[in-house]
Amino acid sequence: MKQLLETIKSAALEAIKNSSNLKETDEIRVKYLGKKGELTAILKQMGSLTPEERPKMGQLVNEAKALVEEQLANKNAELKDAEIAGKLKAETLDITMPAKKTTVGKLHPLNKVLDDMIDIFQSMGFDIVDGPEVETDHYNFESLNVPADHPARDMQDTFYLGEGLLLRTQTSAAQIRTMENTKPPIRIICPGRVFRADEVDATHSPVFHQIEGLVVDKGITMCDLKGVLEQFAHEIYGKDTAVKFRPSFFPFTEPSVEVDVTCSECGGKGCRVCKGSGWIEILGAGMVHPNVLRNCGIDPEVYSGFAFGIGLDRLTTTRYKISDIRLLFENDKRFLEQF
Ligand code: PHE
């Protein structure tokens, strides 16, 4: 029996020595020290010993158990340490490594100018509305007093999509949509993209941006139009900028005007940018035509209004002295990073 105990003990110690993970050491614990383990089993054979031998043998078994337990505990501690060390090694941070570069985005120059314009008009009590880029002929032309055969259609080269649909050539369509579902007093602006089949060059692009404005109420006159647009030009370009109202024509306004401001490049002396005139045209405007009010169910005998359409791209190129409108659409980072 002593012999057997020795064999079991050395087998257990050998197994502990060779184990390489916590799962193995647990299996060893069960195999030798568990309820049905080999060292436990040996105690059950004590009955075959003489009463003198029993305590001696008992002591030997207990010593063997204690030794195996101790070795197991040591091995487990060793394995746990190794595991932690391995983890630490795998997860080390090299704090001398250069950090990843984060680049911060910027607003596009068009958005910067648009944000300023929205601030200006909001401070005058205007609401901001949105309209679809794919429009019907009805909203883009018909309701704006431009029937199918009207010569004014030639003023704007249109991308037709078929089935009465087109890419809006002007944000003026928003005037109709607003008047159709809002009762006066109305005071809105509608910024957005517009499309025309223009030849692309330094001052023309098939897609550009307008900000439509519309005011309708009782007793609105040309003086209100002048006051609002002058105030706007002074806030955008500064108090010293002169503002000129020129008679013009739009089918949906009567009378109509175009508004010029002092050329910001030469201060009015005349240069390449203003083609020698000293002025830059920034918008078209006028008193809403009675036919347009009528088309939207508003009585022109009771209400009057004015509308305007500001060219956002022109405003942006003049403010930042950008010589070519195409730069606004190419999204070259080297260009955009300058703003
Ligand atoms: N929609 C006109 C254009 O694109 C501008 C405009 C708007 C004129 C509103 C008068 C009133 O040329």
Side-chain angles (χ1 to χ4, degrees):
M1 204 164 165
K2 227 174 168 182
Q3 189 66 45
L4 180 62
L5 179 65
E6 271 310 310
T7 318
I8 295 173
K9 191 175 89 182
S10 34
L13 293 178
E14 184 68 16
I16 292 170
K17 214 172 104 194
N18 294 333
S19 62
S20 58
N21 58 52
L22 295 170
K23 194 171 161 261
E24 276 172 33
T25 53
D26 197 52
E27 279 163 12
I28 294 167
R29 181 186 59 77
V30 174
K31 184 168 179 211
Y32 294 100
L33 304 172
K35 263 195 187 142
K36 293 180 184 154
E38 293 182 21
L39 284 173
T40 320
I42 212 167
L43 283 176
K44 289 179 188 150
Q45 295 173 26
M46 299 276 262
S48 61
L49 299 176
T50 61
E52 298 86 67
E53 283 171 327
R54 258 180 238 162
K56 277 191 197 157
M57 197 57 209
Q59 200 188 344
L60 282 178
V61 174
N62 282 338
E63 274 171 17
K65 276 180 96 171
L67 183 65
V68 172
E69 263 163 20
E70 188 195 309
Q71 292 294 310
L72 258 180
N74 288 347
K75 186 73 184 186
N76 278 343
E78 204 179 283
L79 287 171
K80 268 186 195 141
D81 283 351
E83 194 181 313
I84 290 169
K87 249 195 190 159
L88 283 177
K89 205 170 164 202
E91 293 171 5
T92 40
L93 288 177
D94 181 354
I95 57 165
T96 64
M97 255 175 50
K100 261 193 200 154
K101 250 201 178 159
T102 48
T103 41
V104 180
K106 287 183 170 190
L107 283 182
H108 191 282
L110 283 172
N111 286 92
K112 287 193 166 186
V113 177
L114 177 59
D115 284 353
D116 288 352
M117 292 175 72
I118 288 177
D119 278 351
I120 294 169
F121 282 109
Q122 263 178 342
S123 75
M124 293 195 240
F126 283 73
D127 288 329
I128 322 288
V129 303
D130 202 9
E133 291 177 352
V134 171
E135 262 299 0
T136 61
D137 193 274
H138 170 79
Y139 283 108
N140 197 81
F141 289 126
E142 290 272 346
S143 295
L144 285 162
N145 207 25
V146 191
D149 54 357
H150 197 286
R153 290 234 175 178
D154 295 343
M155 288 166 77
Q156 302 175 357
D157 243 331
T158 310
F159 288 111
Y160 287 98
L161 304 174
E163 293 172 26
L165 295 176
L166 45 81
L167 292 180
R168 67 176 174 196
T169 58
Q170 49 189 356
T171 44
S172 300
Q175 290 184 33
I176 306 298
R177 289 186 178 274
T178 306
M179 284 191 277
E180 272 183 358
N181 57 33
T182 323
K183 275 209 170 119
I186 294 170
R187 223 181 312 173
I188 57 108
I189 58 168
C190 172
R193 284 200 291 188
V194 297
F195 308 84
R196 291 186 200 173
D198 276 334
E199 211 65 64
V200 180
D201 63 28
T203 53
H204 292 88
S205 160
V207 48
F208 56 102
H209 303 79
Q210 290 186 332
I211 290 101
E212 193 76 14
L214 175 71
V215 174
V216 181
D217 202 355
K218 287 178 181 155
I220 298 290
T221 70
M222 194 85 180
C223 280
D224 299 303
L225 178 155
K226 268 193 85 176
V228 166
L229 293 177
E230 237 163 33
Q231 168 85 7
F232 161 74
H234 284 154
E235 295 215 23
I236 280 280
Y237 287 106
K239 281 257 176 292
D240 300 334
T241 300
V243 185
K244 182 166 78 175
F245 290 78
R246 258 186 306 114
S248 184
F249 171 79
F250 297 103
F252 34 89
T253 48
E254 181 60 33
S256 302
V257 291
E258 278 176 305
V259 177
D260 299 342
V261 294
T262 323
C263 174
S264 53
E265 182 73 29
C266 62
K269 287 199 256 333
C271 68
R272 206 172 44 89
V273 173
C274 57
K275 300 198 176 78
S277 71
W279 297 96
I280 301 267
E281 182 202 319
I282 57 163
L283 64 92
M287 300 306 291
V288 181
H289 196 292
N291 285 351
V292 175
L293 292 174
R294 235 175 263 127
N295 287 343
C296 302
I298 294 175
D299 185 352
E301 300 297 328
V302 182
Y303 292 102
S304 57
F306 68 86
F308 54 88
I310 305 172
L312 176 61
D313 312 83
R314 178 71 65 82
L315 230 61
T316 306
T317 52
T318 51
R319 175 197 270 195
Y320 292 116
K321 302 196 190 325
I322 298 166
S323 56
D324 193 323
I325 192 177
R326 285 170 288 195
L327 289 165
L328 293 175
F329 302 108
E330 282 165 358
N331 284 331
D332 184 332
K333 264 177 83 184
R334 292 167 301 178
F335 167 75
L336 294 174
E337 272 164 1
Q338 298 172 41
F339 301 94

